[in-house]
Amino acid sequence: MDTIKILDKKFALSISERDILAAIDNVAQNMNRDLKGANPLFVAILNGSFMFAADLMKRLDFPCQISFVKLASYYGTTSTNNVLELVGLSENLNGRTVVIVEDIVDSGLTMTKVIDLLKSRGAGKILISTLLFKPSALKHDLKLNYVAKEIPNDFIVGYGLDYDGYGRNLKDIYTVVK
Ligand code: IMP
Ligand code: MG
């Protein structure tokens, strides 16, 4: 199906499963070349990255581990600033090479916060891998090490990414029809 409706919005097919998997093949090849012997810990950010993480991991041929985390935000009792925490990360990060696995980098704010949290936990080298990147939306100074696909600054769903919780199950990626 080339157009679908989710809640109040219409979406049109924009990246087929075949193209997504070809882009992931490419990222995996680069990682297989770069990370042999680095014993990295992959840290996948839930919920959006679950499909990407699964298809990426199947293609890696070096020893590595993966942990799935959630970024939780709550309000501290003595401060009006909201506090961010990585939930679900029990591994010792001291000096470890960590590869973040993210669904999409938009403004880059989420990635900036995740990097700070991983640094505060003692991570060594921190590398970023993302399925999708919207270069024209980036507002933070970030170096992305592995980008599967660059896309325009439009809202998308599918392959793990959601609109109000829906659409994560789609195997292809769809772009909102304005
Ligand atoms: P950032 O912090 O602005 O880079 O936003 C990153 C987060 O926003 C991602 O982890 C996604 O969860 C979400 N996001 C950004 N763009 C989209 C989109 O087009 N569709 C669905 N979620 C998105
Ligand atoms: Mg996300």
Side-chain angles (χ1 to χ4, degrees), residues 102-110 134 154-156 161-162:
E102 177 62 305
D103 53 357
I104 186 164
V105 175
D106 189 89
S107 72
L109 179 68
T110 308
K134 296 177 178 173
D154 297 312
F155 190 77
I156 53 123
L161 289 107
D162 72 303

Side-chain angles (χ1 to χ4, degrees), residues 79-95:
S79 148
T80 50
N81 283 343
N82 69 336
V83 182
L84 272 177
E85 205 184 30
L86 278 180
V87 179
L89 193 60
S90 51
E91 285 81 0
N92 177 0
L93 299 190
N94 271 339

